[in-house]
């Protein structure tokens, strides 16, 4: 299944980590759609971590390191 958004996500991850809100705003995509794509990519290509910043939860994504 070809999903063009997944290529766009990868472009942002290549340079650095990115958080959910910034990625959503840059891609102009709904929260649910973005979550579903990222959930799929977490199985193989990316990793997520959750942090607290200014008393708010922030999910940060980055490319998974190869062993």
């Amino acid at each position: 299944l070809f999903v063009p958004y997944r290529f766009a996500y990868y472009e942002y991850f290549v340079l650095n980590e990115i958080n959910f809100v910034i990625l959503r705003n840059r891609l102009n995509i709904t929260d649910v759609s973005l979550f579903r794509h990222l959930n799929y990519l977490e199985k193989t290509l990316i990793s997520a971590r959750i942090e607290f910043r200014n008393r708010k939860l922030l999910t940060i994504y980055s490319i998974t390191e190869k062993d």
Side-chain angles (χ1 to χ4, degrees):
L1 179 66
F2 176 71
V3 183
Y5 276 115
R6 291 190 186 142
F7 289 112
Y9 302 148
Y10 201 72
E11 177 183 328
Y12 289 115
F13 294 126
V14 169
L15 298 176
N16 207 347
E17 303 175 324
I18 192 161
N19 74 50
F20 185 91
V21 175
I22 292 172
L23 190 58
R24 180 196 62 203
N25 293 341
R26 287 186 182 174
L27 295 172
N28 194 25
I29 191 171
T30 65
D31 287 358
V32 173
S33 185
L34 178 58
F35 176 78
R36 293 179 83 189
H37 287 292
L38 292 173
N39 196 27
Y40 177 82
L41 291 173
E42 271 188 83
K43 296 174 186 174
T44 56
L45 298 174
I46 64 173
S47 60
R49 73 176 192 278
I50 298 174
E51 295 181 355
F52 277 101
R53 288 194 188 164
N54 300 326
R55 298 183 186 188
K56 294 182 182 179
L57 281 175
L58 183 65
T59 306
I60 300 172
Y61 296 92
S62 59
I63 293 177
T64 304
E65 297 286 329
K66 289 186 177 182
D67 294 332

